[in-house]
Amino acid sequence: MKKQIKTILIANRGEIAVRIIRACKELGITSVAVFSSADRSACHVAMADEAYFIGEAPSSESYLVQDKIIETAKKCQADAIHPGYGFLAENAEFAGRCVQEKIIFIGPKAETIELLGDKIKARQKAIEADLPVLPGEEIDVANSNDALAKAESIGFPLLIKATVGGGGKGMRVVKSAEHFNESLIRASSEAKSAFGDGRVFIEKFLENPRHIEFQILCDTYGNVVHLGERECSIQRRHQKLIEESPSPVMTPELRQNMGEAALKIARASNYIGAGTVEFMVDRDLYYYFLEVNTRLQVEHPVTELVTAIDLVKEQIAIAENKTLSFSQDDISFSGHAIECRISAEDPQQGFVPSTGTIQDYRMPSGPGVRLDSGVESGSEISVYYDPLFAKLIVWGKDRSEAISRMKRALEEFRISGLKTTIGFHGIVMENENFVSGDFSTKFIETEFPNYEFEAADDKTIETAAIAAAIDKFKNESRINLQNGKSSRAAISTWSLYHRQRNMKKFSGSR
Amino acid sequence: MKKQIKTILIANRGEIAVRIIRACKELGITSVAVFSSADRSACHVAMADEAYFIGEAPSSESYLVQDKIIETAKKCQADAIHPGYGFLAENAEFAGRCVQEKIIFIGPKAETIELLGDKIKARQKAIEADLPVLPGEEIDVANSNDALAKAESIGFPLLIKATVGGGGKGMRVVKSAEHFNESLIRASSEAKSAFGDGRVFIEKFLENPRHIEFQILCDTYGNVVHLGERECSIQRRHQKLIEESPSPVMTPELRQNMGEAALKIARASNYIGAGTVEFMVDRDLYYYFLEVNTRLQVEHPVTELVTAIDLVKEQIAIAENKTLSFSQDDISFSGHAIECRISAEDPQQGFVPSTGTIQDYRMPSGPGVRLDSGVESGSEISVYYDPLFAKLIVWGKDRSEAISRMKRALEEFRISGLKTTIGFHGIVMENENFVSGDFSTKFIETEFPNYEFEAADDKTIETAAIAAAIDKFKNESRINLQNGKSSRAAISTWSLYHRQRNMKKFSGSR
Amino acid sequence: MAHYLVNANGKEFDIVIEKSGDSYRAVVNGREQTVESSSTGKSKSVMLVDGNSHEISINSNGYDNSRLVTVGGIEIELEIDNFRLAQLKKAAGNGTGKAALKKIKAPMPGLILEVKVNSGEKVESGQLILVIEAMKMENAIKSSAAAVVKNVAVSKGQSVEKGDLLIEFE
Amino acid sequence: MAHYLVNANGKEFDIVIEKSGDSYRAVVNGREQTVESSSTGKSKSVMLVDGNSHEISINSNGYDNSRLVTVGGIEIELEIDNFRLAQLKKAAGNGTGKAALKKIKAPMPGLILEVKVNSGEKVESGQLILVIEAMKMENAIKSSAAAVVKNVAVSKGQSVEKGDLLIEFE
């Protein structure tokens, strides 16, 4: 039964909330934002049609509180809730509660989220659906002898992974048997504290893999399509930094095979909505199922740019029980798209988060440039949430044009008031191995050990020196003019020296 | 002979200079800006690799001075000059001088510009090339009897047009014989003062025509293609305001016929580079050749969005003597694009120009939105140049999505410090006849006689009233707190009244 | 608590504002609404009226009563006064009941092409007052309200700078 | 005319500035260049050096000699001084010849996970100083120059606010 959605509550914040609000506005759907005390004046609050306060700044008191979100949805008579990514997006309990409350959850069914959220069960489902997986086994942390035996049968290096959860937490690479037990205990305890579930499993570790994922869309009538791949190998601590589509190593045959594999697990898990099937790909282009993300991904725009399909609008159409308006054969890929995640972090200092108020905010634009941003001039970047605040996405007729366009757009992008990853991305765009497409998930640690990036070149330093001198000259001329002296009269060096010393008394020590 | 262009001087300013600089940056070409005294801190100066001063603010002392531009091009060793649109873009003499100075002029040959710039010769060429034209004749202003006889043979209403020039100057619609002579004299004198050439001709006047133009690209080897049409009927005083592609009335057959007609005149005039062939189309979809614009058009982005071809990069490739990399059959059209021209004008006051400094400047972005802008926060809009300062262009999978996306983007776009046409475009996007696609060049005067646009609705006015009250309440609370009073203490109405009266003495009369 | 009278586009709003925790209670012409307001920059804010979100910017000059309020990009000029004060002024025949048109200034530098009104003449809202040539275009200056012309400060053929007084009304 | 000494990234620039019509003549380590500079906003400008265009922003605090200069998005910290004054200071052993590292403050609120240096220790540029946990991530704080630790103001397990002093150098 088709149902027209009139009002959507967006249970998220930042750039993804803005992204969903934009889709709602274009569809004539009322958009409802929720906000914590840290987000009273945030972009998503200002842009939504309606906005309601749901609690204090820590997400555990606001964006993660299911009761408050459901209560707000009922108050504003929302037909549906869009969870975005993160927060409650992959929470099966929340998806189930929405159904109970007769609110459409824009995402897969609760049981699908639960099944695919458990990596052991998802792996089992993948094996049943005939997808290639890496050798691996579930292990009992309490039984260390048995665990070690299983590890040795798989062989080192191997990867210990949390059964539930993601984002690199509860994950350890183990190079040899001697470190296995210690790593096992640490991974399990990390998983327990991060996800409340200390179960872990082990998997063969690929040395220099690529991370390639497939976007899928499935309607409620069993129609399933894939929208091609995203290359997401440029990562740091398992956090993606740069994504692109197509992958530089993709071939039409491989795309067809991997796409078909993605659809197999979608069918096997009765998938509904937009989702992502992640694979590891080795140097010989053998691929292995990794996991399914049962949500809209951060990097969805690169797929939108090469397929011209709006994924958020498709999610909403599927939630309205509409039939997919295209089949696999209707989907074509045009050109090349790259996304750079713009975060409030200082790459020079090991990507330490940088908080503060955005002063100037000059957005890049022009041909082939899209910015999905959750901030504007005057916005506050607080310590409470993810440092990702914008995504810069470009389209080019080929990879080379996309790279040159991204460089141009990064150059135009100006933010003052805090440190960002804009400059870092500019350096990656000029990196030889990135440009040639020859990289793996090890790219960042191999190319930038210790996070040491090229400093400013000599010409730029000289320019800065001249700029400072001109600036000082202008200021002194102004002071001289104010004092009634000619702008050419040289100020006494001694009097200036004393004046400076006096000033320092008031401005504090340096 | 192919020639790699290394440095391009951009003989223009504003958004089109920025557009060309962006293409240069993506191609690794050094971009050189020129600027007048009014543009010292303009965006195009800041964004270009190099920038040189060429004279005072009036364009006749800077952007139109051929000597200064040629001299600057030689000084910075530019291989090529891109003229943009306006200024020297359609000046045959300038194109010729560039050739003499061994600088590539990015545009057609001087003789082509001269031929097509003369409307009588262009019309003659079109007739020879078998293009349909409206009945019309050249007339001698001095011989008024003969002129009137010719006019009567064509019939009224008719249009008097300047032989050289454009932009609506020297143009008069004459409804009956009695006003013919007076109109003729005024049109001729206007043409004389605007273009230095008082020649005029007369043409049958179509009552409710559409203005539809075709983009062409021609390389130096005789390869010619068209990139489909742009619907440009939404005009005010012959100035385009909104353009889109495809035209709501276009059919594949008509596109093929009109496209072929456009290519015929391109071939007949030995056209090289990017150009636009303009047509009038009547209610029965009969089309008539109007003129050829021998330059990049303001509205070129809509074609870029539906064809995925970068017209500025193609212009540069053609100037480098490269062969077109696609044939007519390779060109396909996808989706729908709309452009709104954003000008510093007050639509409520008959589009009177609005000058000043841009305070806040919040750009729209997100899926399918492109902004080609020549300003940023802090930019000065002066009286010296065209009030057009930005173009907002959107792409949608169909016309309906493009319109809803444009509305969304216009809503996001915020500029303070001066009046703009943003709100006006929002009103057009909701106009019934615009949405249905049923309009002609008469649209603005029919739908908005006296430029009276819908005022704010009651809800918005009430919201403004509440906002003002909250603001005043907050300020008074702050004042009370500063005075050491509780924020709840009511301030004496009488003392406030006297305080206000005293303030007014200093702040001047109202 | 404070009580205001706001005049906007010819409409009168009787507004009582009271602080209530982090938000405000606003009684507008008798109808109660909950308002939240957070500053997002100098003179800019996000305002939620019963949950409905609006981007607001307000320009004022201190104690002057006129405000230029922008609601989601739409500009609205209004006058705000303390309620009792407004009533006192009204009683004194100096009401803020109507945002009276006082003068027209040149919106840009240019040349006066035509002057269509004379001193003492009554003009209607939207009536053509004069024509200025600027940026090579003719620009019609119209009255934004009904008024009586007190003084015509320019004449045909005269050059004006932006902000120069053109017309004064009674 | 004015004569400055600028220290940036360990490099010294001897710069003489002179006004010349609407532009400036800058002699940088003996090489003459023509500079045009136009303000585009508070602390922002477009600067043309022999025609080469740069977007500049400069942050300073009055008479203090240190500046944070941004050239086309790249940040450079430098010290600028009047030339003679700089020489006097140098002679007095109080030179600005090196932008010395003085202290490290907490770049964000967080928890001190590890402290890797001790008072009196000599550190190299890029050496790991301490680790702060914030936003659920571990963040390595490194030295931006060679220096000698004077005082370690925090200890493992301590919570810090943004801007809190962590380490002082000699």
Side-chain angles (χ1 to χ4, degrees):
Chain A
M1 200 194 67
K2 292 199 182 57
K3 176 176 167 54
Q4 172 109 40
I5 293 177
K6 291 195 193 71
T7 303
I8 294 178
L9 181 143
I10 297 140
N12 216 303
R13 63 179 299 286
E15 72 84 19
I16 195 61
V18 169
R19 168 71 186 91
I20 298 162
I21 291 167
R22 283 175 166 151
C24 289
K25 283 194 187 279
E26 293 178 13
L27 291 169
I29 291 172
T30 300
S31 54
V32 179
V34 291
F35 60 96
S36 75
S37 56
D39 280 339
R40 285 185 192 281
S41 61
C43 274
H44 75 286
V45 176
M47 283 177 70
D49 294 322
E50 299 175 25
Y52 299 94
F53 177 73
I54 51 162
E56 295 310 311
S59 43
S60 58
E61 296 174 38
S62 47
Y63 298 106
L64 286 171
V65 183
Q66 301 185 21
D67 284 345
K68 287 186 185 167
I69 287 167
I70 301 259
E71 182 196 313
T72 307
K74 292 171 112 174
K75 183 168 79 179
C76 70
Q77 296 178 297
D79 313 299
I81 292 179
H82 196 307
Y85 53 73
F87 296 134
L88 297 170
E90 290 171 288
N91 187 311
E93 184 199 340
F94 181 67
R97 281 197 59 183
C98 287
V99 174
Q100 276 167 27
E101 303 283 357
K102 303 203 187 327
I103 300 165
I104 299 169
F105 176 81
I106 299 180
K109 284 192 203 138
E111 54 264 37
T112 309
I113 297 174
E114 187 155 28
L115 167 74
L116 297 172
D118 182 313
K119 283 179 194 155
I120 300 286
K121 287 188 198 158
R123 183 185 153 87
Q124 196 49 47
K125 201 47 120 177
I127 293 167
E128 284 166 29
D130 209 19
L131 267 67
V133 297
L134 285 166
E137 276 196 82
E138 190 166 13
I139 50 178
D140 180 359
V141 179
N143 187 342
S144 62
N145 284 348
D146 181 58
L148 185 59
K150 282 179 173 164
E152 278 173 335
S153 83
I154 285 172
F156 294 93
L158 58 71
L159 192 63
I160 306 176
K161 287 161 93 173
T163 300
V164 173
K169 278 161 211 128
M171 204 180 268
R172 284 284 184 289
V173 175
V174 190
K175 304 233 160 137
S176 63
E178 60 176 326
H179 298 112
F180 179 72
N181 256 331
E182 185 204 335
S183 296
L184 184 61
I185 290 160
R186 285 175 64 194
S188 174
S189 112
E190 214 171 281
K192 175 96 186 155
S193 87
F195 315 115
D197 185 335
R199 288 180 301 151
V200 296
F201 70 107
I202 55 177
E203 207 175 62
K204 178 86 191 137
F205 178 69
L206 287 179
E207 281 285 2
N208 290 302
R210 284 177 178 264
H211 176 120
I212 296 180
E213 61 187 27
F214 272 69
Q215 176 68 49
I216 57 169
L217 276 180
C218 310
D219 67 18
T220 51
Y221 306 97
N223 301 303
V224 297
V225 296
H226 75 81
L227 276 65
E229 80 282 5
R230 290 185 290 257
E231 161 77 62
C232 308
S233 301
I234 308 294
Q235 305 183 344
R236 176 189 154 265
R237 294 190 189 176
H238 305 280
Q239 304 270 1
K240 296 165 190 165
L241 297 172
I242 298 173
E243 301 97 344
E244 59 184 304
S245 184
S247 163
V249 296
M250 191 52 61
T251 65
E253 298 72 40
L254 185 59
R255 181 177 295 124
Q256 189 169 348
N257 291 340
M258 293 180 73
E260 192 44 53
L263 296 185
K264 276 183 192 159
I265 189 144
R267 286 191 202 97
S269 56
N270 297 318
Y271 204 90
I272 291 172
T276 298
V277 185
E278 297 193 329
F279 298 94
M280 294 294 224
V281 178
D282 71 16
R283 302 207 135 248
D284 301 317
L285 299 186
Y286 286 103
Y287 61 92
Y288 306 94
F289 170 79
L290 193 64
E291 64 182 68
V292 180
N293 292 322
T294 58
R295 59 163 196 269
L296 189 69
Q297 302 271 90
V298 174
E299 58 271 24
H300 75 277
V302 297
T303 298
E304 295 187 321
L305 289 185
V306 295
T307 61
I309 289 171
D310 187 316
L311 286 167
V312 177
K313 288 184 186 173
E314 293 300 329
Q315 284 189 301
I316 293 170
I318 291 168
E320 288 177 324
N321 275 336
K322 287 185 183 145
T323 314
L324 276 183
S325 61
F326 41 81
S327 68
Q328 191 66 55
D329 288 345
D330 298 327
I331 296 166
S332 62
F333 305 101
S334 155
H336 197 100
I338 304 179
E339 169 178 284
C340 287
R341 297 189 183 197
I342 311 298
S343 295
E345 295 175 331
D346 185 355
Q348 306 271 9
Q349 298 286 333
F351 289 87
V352 54
S354 177
T355 56
T357 302
I358 292 181
Q359 309 291 338
D360 293 314
Y361 190 66
R362 193 184 68 187
M363 293 164 54
S365 190
V369 174
R370 165 175 166 183
L371 185 73
D372 277 21
S373 159
V375 300
E376 60 175 312
S377 172
S379 292
E380 194 87 29
I381 305 273
S382 75
V383 74
Y384 298 106
Y385 313 110
D386 198 290
L388 173 75
F389 65 85
K391 298 169 338 199
L392 178 56
I393 316 109
V394 300
W395 180 94
K397 63 178 192 283
D398 50 31
R399 189 166 189 269
S400 155
E401 184 177 64
I403 292 174
S404 61
R405 187 160 277 166
M406 181 60 88
K407 279 201 292 207
R408 188 269 290 172
L410 288 164
E411 251 185 65
E412 290 180 17
F413 205 171
R414 288 295 149 71
I415 297 176
S416 68
L418 36 75
K419 305 275 186 187
T420 75
T421 54
I422 294 172
F424 158 78
H425 287 297
I427 289 164
V428 174
M429 291 299 131
E430 305 218 318
N431 179 284
E432 212 170 70
N433 290 326
F434 178 78
V435 171
S436 72
D438 180 19
F439 53 78
S440 73
T441 54
K442 285 269 178 64
F443 176 80
I444 298 291
E445 60 186 282
T446 314
E447 299 293 325
F448 309 105
N450 305 317
Y451 306 118
E452 273 162 16
F453 305 100
E454 236 173 293
D457 62 20
D458 288 356
K459 196 73 209 159
T460 306
I461 296 166
E462 181 175 325
T463 304
I466 297 171
I470 295 279
D471 183 61
K472 198 172 171 69
F473 184 82
K474 279 187 184 178
N475 284 335
E476 288 172 359
S477 303
R478 197 164 46 232
I479 292 165
N480 290 346
L481 283 171
Q482 283 167 350
N483 294 348
K485 296 179 193 172
S486 137
S487 71
R488 289 197 164 233
I491 191 161
S492 151
T493 306
W494 279 113
S495 72
L496 192 63
Y497 186 55
H498 288 295
R499 218 191 288 169
Q500 287 184 348
R501 290 186 66 91
N502 288 335
M503 287 303 292
K504 281 183 190 168
K505 286 184 193 154
F506 296 100
S507 63
S509 70
R510 288 196 39 251
Chain B
M1 200 192 66
K2 290 198 184 59
K3 177 176 168 51
Q4 173 109 42
I5 293 176
K6 291 196 194 69
T7 303
I8 294 178
L9 181 144
I10 297 140
N12 216 304
R13 64 178 301 284
E15 70 84 20
I16 194 63
V18 169
R19 168 70 187 90
I20 299 161
I21 290 166
R22 283 175 166 151
C24 288
K25 284 194 186 281
E26 292 177 15
L27 293 168
I29 291 172
T30 300
S31 54
V32 179
V34 291
F35 60 95
S36 74
S37 56
D39 280 339
R40 285 184 193 282
S41 60
C43 274
H44 75 288
V45 175
M47 285 179 70
D49 295 321
E50 299 175 24
Y52 299 94
F53 177 72
I54 51 160
E56 294 310 311
S59 43
S60 58
E61 295 174 38
S62 48
Y63 298 106
L64 285 171
V65 183
Q66 302 186 21
D67 284 346
K68 287 184 186 167
I69 287 166
I70 300 261
E71 184 196 314
T72 307
K74 292 171 112 175
K75 184 168 79 181
C76 70
Q77 296 179 296
D79 312 299
I81 292 178
H82 196 307
Y85 54 70
F87 295 136
L88 297 169
E90 290 173 287
N91 186 313
E93 185 199 339
F94 181 67
R97 282 197 58 183
C98 288
V99 174
Q100 277 168 27
E101 303 282 357
K102 303 205 188 324
I103 301 165
I104 297 169
F105 176 81
I106 299 179
K109 285 193 203 136
E111 53 264 36
T112 309
I113 297 173
E114 188 156 24
L115 167 74
L116 297 172
D118 182 314
K119 283 177 195 156
I120 299 288
K121 288 188 199 159
R123 182 185 154 88
Q124 194 51 44
K125 200 47 117 179
I127 293 167
E128 284 166 30
D130 211 19
L131 267 69
V133 296
L134 284 166
E137 275 196 82
E138 189 166 13
I139 50 176
D140 180 1
V141 179
N143 187 342
S144 63
N145 284 347
D146 182 58
L148 185 59
K150 283 176 171 165
E152 279 175 333
S153 84
I154 284 171
F156 294 93
L158 59 70
L159 193 62
I160 306 175
K161 286 162 92 174
T163 301
V164 174
K169 279 165 209 122
M171 203 180 268
R172 285 284 183 292
V173 175
V174 190
K175 304 232 160 135
S176 62
E178 60 176 325
H179 299 110
F180 179 70
N181 256 331
E182 186 205 334
S183 297
L184 183 61
I185 290 161
R186 286 175 64 193
S188 174
S189 110
E190 214 170 283
K192 176 93 186 160
S193 86
F195 315 115
D197 186 335
R199 286 181 301 151
V200 296
F201 70 107
I202 55 176
E203 209 174 63
K204 178 84 193 142
F205 178 71
L206 287 179
E207 281 284 4
N208 290 302
R210 283 175 178 266
H211 177 120
I212 297 180
E213 60 187 27
F214 273 69
Q215 176 69 49
I216 57 169
L217 277 180
C218 311
D219 69 17
T220 52
Y221 307 98
N223 301 304
V224 297
V225 295
H226 75 82
L227 276 68
E229 80 282 5
R230 291 186 289 258
E231 162 77 62
C232 308
S233 301
I234 309 294
Q235 306 184 343
R236 179 190 151 262
R237 293 192 190 177
H238 305 281
Q239 305 270 2
K240 295 164 190 163
L241 297 172
I242 298 173
E243 301 96 344
E244 60 184 303
S245 185
S247 163
V249 296
M250 191 53 61
T251 65
E253 298 72 39
L254 184 60
R255 182 178 294 124
Q256 188 168 349
N257 292 341
M258 291 180 75
E260 193 43 53
L263 296 185
K264 275 184 193 161
I265 190 148
R267 287 192 200 96
S269 56
N270 299 313
Y271 204 90
I272 291 172
T276 297
V277 184
E278 297 193 328
F279 297 94
M280 294 296 224
V281 177
D282 70 18
R283 302 208 135 246
D284 301 317
L285 300 186
Y286 285 104
Y287 62 90
Y288 306 94
F289 169 79
L290 194 62
E291 63 183 69
V292 181
N293 293 322
T294 59
R295 57 161 198 268
L296 188 70
Q297 303 271 91
V298 173
E299 58 270 25
H300 75 276
V302 295
T303 299
E304 296 187 322
L305 289 185
V306 294
T307 61
I309 290 171
D310 187 315
L311 286 167
V312 176
K313 289 184 183 171
E314 293 300 329
Q315 285 190 301
I316 293 170
I318 290 168
E320 287 176 324
N321 274 336
K322 287 185 183 146
T323 312
L324 277 181
S325 61
F326 41 79
S327 68
Q328 190 65 55
D329 288 343
D330 298 327
I331 296 166
S332 61
F333 305 100
S334 155
H336 199 100
I338 304 178
E339 169 178 287
C340 288
R341 298 189 183 197
I342 312 297
S343 295
E345 294 175 331
D346 185 354
Q348 307 270 11
Q349 297 285 332
F351 289 87
V352 54
S354 177
T355 57
T357 302
I358 291 180
Q359 308 292 338
D360 294 314
Y361 190 66
R362 192 183 70 187
M363 291 163 54
S365 192
V369 174
R370 165 174 168 186
L371 185 72
D372 278 22
S373 159
V375 299
E376 59 175 313
S377 171
S379 292
E380 193 87 30
I381 306 271
S382 74
V383 74
Y384 298 106
Y385 313 111
D386 198 289
L388 174 75
F389 64 86
K391 296 170 337 198
L392 177 55
I393 316 108
V394 301
W395 180 93
K397 65 176 194 282
D398 51 29
R399 190 166 189 267
S400 154
E401 184 177 62
I403 292 175
S404 62
R405 186 160 278 166
M406 180 60 89
K407 278 200 293 206
R408 188 270 288 171
L410 287 164
E411 250 185 66
E412 289 180 17
F413 205 171
R414 289 294 150 73
I415 297 176
S416 66
L418 37 74
K419 304 275 186 184
T420 76
T421 53
I422 294 172
F424 158 77
H425 286 299
I427 289 164
V428 174
M429 290 300 132
E430 305 218 318
N431 177 283
E432 210 172 73
N433 290 326
F434 179 77
V435 171
S436 71
D438 179 19
F439 53 78
S440 73
T441 54
K442 286 269 178 64
F443 176 80
I444 299 291
E445 60 186 283
T446 313
E447 300 292 324
F448 308 107
N450 306 317
Y451 306 119
E452 274 162 15
F453 305 101
E454 235 175 295
D457 61 21
D458 288 356
K459 195 75 208 155
T460 307
I461 296 167
E462 181 175 327
T463 304
I466 297 171
I470 294 281
D471 183 62
K472 196 172 172 73
F473 183 81
K474 281 187 181 177
N475 284 335
E476 286 172 0
S477 303
R478 196 162 51 232
I479 291 166
N480 292 345
L481 284 172
Q482 283 167 351
N483 293 348
K485 296 180 190 171
S486 137
S487 71
R488 289 200 163 233
I491 190 161
S492 149
T493 306
W494 279 112
S495 73
L496 191 64
Y497 185 57
H498 287 295
R499 219 191 287 166
Q500 287 185 349
R501 290 187 66 90
N502 288 335
M503 287 305 293
K504 281 183 187 167
K505 286 184 193 157
F506 297 99
S507 63
S509 70
R510 289 194 39 249
Chain C
M1 204 190 78
H3 194 172
Y4 302 109
L5 188 70
V6 180
N7 264 282
N9 285 31
K11 291 189 176 58
E12 234 177 44
F13 299 91
D14 168 342
I15 304 181
V16 177
I17 303 284
E18 193 170 9
K19 192 114 178 75
S20 158
D22 279 342
S23 39
Y24 302 87
R25 198 156 43 225
V27 183
V28 183
N29 292 344
R31 202 162 58 81
E32 186 172 328
Q33 307 181 54
T34 300
V35 181
E36 293 176 67
S37 168
S38 307
S39 163
T40 57
K42 197 174 71 67
S43 80
K44 290 192 298 176
S45 61
V46 182
M47 185 173 79
L48 304 174
V49 182
D50 282 345
N52 291 294
S53 173
H54 306 279
E55 289 182 84
I56 304 290
S57 100
I58 302 188
N59 280 304
S60 63
N61 36 10
Y63 279 103
D64 189 331
N65 290 330
S66 65
R67 301 279 187 281
L68 180 65
V69 180
T70 309
V71 179
I74 299 167
E75 287 184 351
I76 292 151
E77 282 183 65
L78 52 77
E79 301 261 325
I80 181 165
D81 226 329
N82 283 62
F83 193 81
R84 280 182 57 202
L85 189 61
Q87 290 196 310
L88 287 165
K89 278 199 206 165
K90 264 194 198 172
N94 182 19
T96 59
K98 206 188 272 177
L101 184 64
K102 287 295 185 197
K103 54 185 72 164
I104 297 179
K105 291 177 177 181
M108 73 227 128
L111 181 75
I112 304 296
L113 282 191
E114 290 179 70
V115 180
K116 295 289 208 181
V117 295
N118 294 305
S119 173
E121 192 175 332
K122 194 166 177 315
V123 297
E124 294 306 312
S125 173
Q127 184 175 333
L128 181 65
I129 304 293
L130 42 76
V131 180
I132 302 184
E133 192 195 65
M135 288 157 151
K136 301 205 170 123
M137 297 292 277
E138 296 176 14
N139 304 288
I141 307 297
K142 294 174 182 178
S143 172
S144 65
V148 176
V149 178
K150 184 177 169 190
N151 173 32
V152 179
V154 290
S155 54
K156 188 174 167 172
Q158 186 178 333
S159 283
V160 292
E161 288 302 310
K162 186 179 168 167
D164 279 2
L165 179 69
L166 303 178
I167 304 284
E168 270 186 296
F169 295 98
E170 298 285 342
Chain D
M1 206 186 78
H3 195 171
Y4 303 109
L5 189 70
V6 180
N7 265 281
N9 285 32
K11 291 189 175 60
E12 233 176 46
F13 299 90
D14 168 341
I15 304 182
V16 177
I17 303 284
E18 193 171 8
K19 192 114 178 76
S20 159
D22 279 343
S23 41
Y24 302 89
R25 198 155 43 223
V27 184
V28 183
N29 292 345
R31 202 164 58 83
E32 186 173 327
Q33 307 181 52
T34 301
V35 181
E36 293 174 67
S37 168
S38 307
S39 162
T40 57
K42 198 173 70 67
S43 80
K44 292 192 297 175
S45 61
V46 182
M47 185 173 78
L48 304 174
V49 182
D50 282 346
N52 290 294
S53 174
H54 305 280
E55 288 182 85
I56 304 291
S57 98
I58 301 187
N59 280 304
S60 63
N61 36 9
Y63 280 101
D64 190 331
N65 289 330
S66 65
R67 300 279 186 281
L68 179 66
V69 180
T70 309
V71 178
I74 299 166
E75 286 184 354
I76 292 149
E77 281 182 66
L78 52 77
E79 299 261 326
I80 181 164
D81 226 328
N82 282 63
F83 192 81
R84 282 181 57 201
L85 190 61
Q87 289 195 312
L88 287 164
K89 278 197 203 165
K90 263 191 198 172
N94 181 19
T96 59
K98 205 188 273 176
L101 184 64
K102 289 293 184 198
K103 54 184 72 163
I104 296 180
K105 292 178 175 179
M108 72 227 127
L111 181 74
I112 304 296
L113 282 191
E114 290 180 69
V115 179
K116 296 287 207 180
V117 295
N118 293 306
S119 175
E121 192 175 332
K122 196 171 175 311
V123 298
E124 294 306 311
S125 172
Q127 186 176 330
L128 181 66
I129 303 294
L130 42 77
V131 180
I132 302 184
E133 191 195 68
M135 287 159 153
K136 300 206 170 123
M137 297 291 277
E138 295 177 13
N139 304 289
I141 308 295
K142 295 172 181 178
S143 171
S144 65
V148 176
V149 177
K150 185 176 164 190
N151 174 32
V152 178
V154 291
S155 54
K156 189 174 165 169
Q158 186 178 333
S159 282
V160 292
E161 289 300 311
K162 185 178 171 170
D164 278 2
L165 180 68
L166 303 178
I167 304 283
E168 269 186 296
F169 296 97
E170 296 284 342

